[in-house]
Every structure is written in C-alpha cells, then in structure tokens.
Amino acid sequence: ETFVAASEKLPIAHFRRSLELVADGKARVLCLAPNDAHALRDGTWQLAGEVLTIEVKCFGPQPEALKYSVERASAGELTLRPLR
C-alpha cells in the first residue's frame, strides 16, 4: 500500500485508506465498514524498527491493530506492506 500526501491529485477510485500520523503518536484513520460506509477514526501509532503499528477502533467493539512493514518513506510518500 502506498500513501501519498493529501494534496496529491489522484484519479477517482473505490475506497482508499487514509492515514494521518502525528509526531505525538496520535493517528487518524479512514475506516471502511462492512456496509461500505466510511468514517475517520482516532487512534494511536508506534514505530518499532521497521514495523508500524496503528491501533484504531473502526466499527467493531474492540480496537484493531494494523501492522505494516515500512518499505519506503519520504516527505511525500509512504509505502507500507501489510503484516498478517
């Protein structure tokens, strides 16, 4: 998954996950519900080596941990590989 700056012009598409990672460990994640609804949810993030973990309560009763391997990071682009 590649994330680009919000100012980047992208073609129309179905759901695209959106992440906002703030230096203090707070995160905002655009979540997708089973019925295709979307909502921006608050969460937290931490980086341990090359593993990015985002904890967010999307639509279920418990927070979920989204885990990614950071493949590439620059000022305008973040490429992550989901860890299952």
Side-chain angles (χ1 to χ4, degrees):
E1 296 180 39
T2 299
F3 296 86
V4 296
S7 59
E8 193 72 28
K9 300 287 187 216
L10 298 173
I12 295 173
H14 295 286
F15 176 78
R16 282 192 177 105
R17 183 177 297 277
S18 171
L19 301 175
E20 180 182 341
L21 306 176
V22 184
D24 65 359
K26 293 180 183 167
R28 301 230 354 153
V29 179
L30 184 62
C31 296
L32 178 65
N35 67 355
D36 285 342
H38 323 33
L40 201 53
R41 302 287 193 214
D42 292 325
T44 60
W45 70 273
Q46 65 179 5
L47 184 63
E50 294 182 1
V51 175
L52 172 66
T53 302
I54 301 168
E55 295 229 354
V56 62
K57 185 176 177 185
C58 282
F59 291 96
Q62 299 296 321
E64 57 184 293
L66 308 172
K67 291 189 177 276
Y68 299 95
S69 171
V70 177
E71 300 291 309
R72 187 177 29 198
S74 69
E77 185 174 296
L78 178 62
T79 303
L80 305 173
R81 181 175 44 84
L83 298 174
R84 306 276 180 222

